[in-house]
Amino acid sequence: VSKKMAIQLPSNEPVVGVIDTPFDENVYFSDWVGATNIIGKDISLSSKDYDHGTAIDSIIVDGPSLNPNLDDGCGRFRVKHFGIASSGRTNSFKVTKRIEEIIAKNPEIKVWNLSLGSENEINKNFISAEGAALDRLQTEHNIIFIVSATNKGSDDSDEKKIGAPADSINSLVVGAVDKNRHQASYARKGGVLSFFIKPDISYFGGDRGDYLKVYKSDGEYETSGTSYSAAWITRKMAYLIEVIGLSREVAKAL
């Protein structure tokens, strides 16, 4: 049984944008998240469709409370959350279109977390349409996307390449390592176009025997994945850009 979590009300903490599956507004940190659901009304949602987006927000808002051993000293962040996809397969054209609309309508948000990725491998000869769209948006709006490097399934080969949009050149693409800093069992392989190294960085994402704690609709949960390592890096980027005031280029370099 999960312990009862509590959190104070937000004040003037920085706001991070999250584009993911929908957010469950019944969790203990819901006051910290402003959620908008823009999935088509023709798609019926089950409770599990809310799990991924809610878990991502739990790390960005309150990760150190759930994982005291990973306390990064960055504090808490508010989230502006956009639910654009269910937990099943998504139409990449629709997803890209929705992302473009969201960015255009929220110019005040500079740090964006995006952990929706393709199961298919990237093409070795060209950038995906989704990756190219993220590159263009970052240039036009002076923003940064923190993108998960996608996971492989237990039956995938050891050399499975990352999936779109983790081939975005300008995004900060985040892979995952275990507690010993070895590549996580679910990690996929970069680079992009043979000369861009991806992922740009890796962070602890949980793995067999040593999982991350997140918070979902039904409480605390142990899990692993590049989505969650990316959420931790999103916290650090938001701290460097929104709290310290560094440019996105300097923050990314650091």
Side-chain angles (χ1 to χ4, degrees), residues 8-109:
Q8 74 260 34
L9 291 172
S11 55
N12 63 343
E13 292 84 1
V15 178
V16 171
V18 172
I19 300 172
D20 212 282
T21 68
F23 173 73
D24 186 337
E25 299 190 8
N26 296 311
V27 294
Y28 77 94
F29 56 93
S30 61
D31 287 326
W32 289 71
V33 181
T36 305
N37 186 0
I38 52 178
I39 297 173
K41 291 186 169 55
D42 53 326
I43 297 175
S44 59
L45 297 171
S46 68
S47 58
K48 86 169 187 178
D49 288 315
Y50 291 80
D51 282 349
H52 191 267
T54 306
I56 295 298
D57 290 357
S58 75
I59 291 178
I60 293 173
V61 172
D62 203 29
S65 296
L66 293 159
N67 304 270
N69 59 317
L70 297 175
D71 192 345
D72 50 18
C74 295
R76 292 188 173 108
F77 298 91
R78 291 177 290 158
V79 171
K80 199 164 185 182
H81 185 106
F82 298 89
I84 67 167
S86 65
S87 59
R89 290 184 179 274
T90 55
N91 179 309
S92 61
F93 176 77
K94 278 186 181 173
V95 164
T96 303
K97 196 89 183 122
R98 284 171 179 157
I99 291 171
E100 289 175 341
E101 290 167 359
I102 289 165
I103 298 304
K105 290 177 181 174
N106 296 275
E108 74 286 357
I109 298 176

Side-chain angles (χ1 to χ4, degrees), residues 156-168:
D156 286 326
S157 76
D158 287 342
E159 292 296 298
K160 185 169 184 179
K161 294 203 72 159
I162 56 177
D167 57 345
S168 163

Side-chain angles (χ1 to χ4, degrees), residues 2 9 11 22 40 67 73 99 112-114 125 163 180 196 201:
S2 171
L9 291 172
S11 55
N67 304 270
I99 291 171
W112 290 88
N113 183 98
L114 180 62
N125 296 318
N180 297 315
F196 290 106
I201 190 171

Side-chain angles (χ1 to χ4, degrees), residues 141-229:
H141 297 275
N142 189 31
I143 59 174
I144 182 118
F145 285 104
I146 291 82
V147 177
S148 76
T150 60
N151 305 325
K152 65 182 180 187
S154 54
D155 54 348
D156 286 326
S157 76
D158 287 342
E159 292 296 298
K160 185 169 184 179
K161 294 203 72 159
I162 56 177
D167 57 345
S168 163
I169 304 302
N170 295 333
S171 295
L172 189 61
V173 178
V174 183
V177 292
D178 63 19
K179 63 181 178 182
N180 297 315
R181 302 190 181 190
H182 298 143
Q183 180 176 298
S185 60
Y186 48 83
R188 288 164 70 170
K189 183 177 171 62
V192 175
L193 299 182
S194 78
F195 48 86
F196 290 106
I197 296 172
K198 294 286 172 177
D200 296 285
I201 190 171
S202 289
Y203 189 72
F204 179 66
D207 212 342
R208 299 185 196 102
D210 193 21
Y211 292 99
L212 269 171
K213 285 193 173 73
V214 298
Y215 206 91
K216 298 184 179 181
S217 307
D218 52 359
E220 207 175 278
Y221 191 82
E222 290 191 330
T223 191
S224 61
T226 55
S227 298
Y228 307 111
S229 56

